[in-house]
């Protein structure tokens, strides 16, 4: 069983910053990718940033230059530093990992954390 616990999020004014953190625990043999999705009210969940084990880091176009994703493979953590936040960044943010656990590849999700950008 794999669990992801998120922290961070909250209310911030436009132009402000927030840092989201996510820690994975449980029986994890290896991790193929870690990242963050978000879902705004009335919209579909979308990928914001991801770090694959092999390949380039991905950022959604609208967050490039403002968000930075980082990982600590030894601790199975993934962070998202969000700067210059805009009202359109308001959403519930979910971390995820694609990992091998108990001999199977699976995608595991955090519980979600609310980010609200408003004056």
């Amino acid at each position: 069983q794999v669990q992801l616990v998120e922290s961070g999020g909250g209310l911030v004014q436009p132009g402000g910053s927030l840092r989201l953190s996510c820690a994975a625990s449980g029986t994890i043999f290896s991790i193929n990718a870690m990242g963050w999705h978000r879902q705004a009210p009335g919209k579909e969940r979308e990928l914001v940033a991801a770090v694959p084990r092999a390949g380039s880091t991905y950022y959604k176009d609208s967050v490039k230059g403002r968000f930075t994703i980082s990982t600590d493979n030894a601790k199975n953590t993934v962070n998202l530093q969000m700067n210059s936040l805009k009202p359109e960044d308001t959403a519930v943010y979910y971390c995820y990992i694609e990992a091998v656990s108990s001999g199977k590849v699976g995608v595991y999700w955090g519980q979600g954390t609310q980010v609200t950008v408003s004056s």
Side-chain angles (χ1 to χ4, degrees):
Q1 190 74 3
V2 178
Q3 299 86 34
L4 275 66
V5 177
E6 301 178 20
S7 60
L11 173 64
V12 64
Q13 293 186 343
S17 299
L18 283 174
R19 181 179 176 84
L20 306 182
S21 296
C22 176
S25 63
T27 307
I28 300 172
F29 178 74
S30 63
I31 295 177
N32 295 334
M34 305 178 77
W36 294 86
H37 283 71
R38 69 186 181 188
Q39 187 166 20
K43 295 187 177 182
E44 294 185 353
R45 189 174 295 192
E46 59 183 11
L47 179 62
V48 176
V51 179
R53 183 173 63 180
S56 301
T57 299
Y58 167 84
Y59 290 100
K60 179 179 174 59
D61 283 345
S62 62
V63 308
K64 287 181 180 178
R66 300 188 298 122
F67 290 12
T68 302
I69 189 171
S70 62
T71 62
D72 184 333
N73 293 330
K75 297 181 179 180
N76 291 338
T77 59
V78 56
N79 305 304
L80 187 68
Q81 177 66 41
M82 305 184 293
N83 299 328
S84 302
L85 282 161
K86 304 176 180 180
E88 51 264 42
D89 295 318
T90 295
V92 178
Y93 284 70
Y94 300 89
C95 67
Y96 81 95
I97 66 168
E98 181 186 300
V100 177
S101 176
S102 301
K104 299 182 294 184
V105 177
V107 179
Y108 305 90
W109 295 90
Q111 77 278 14
T113 185
Q114 177 70 46
V115 171
T116 302
V117 184
S118 175
S119 55

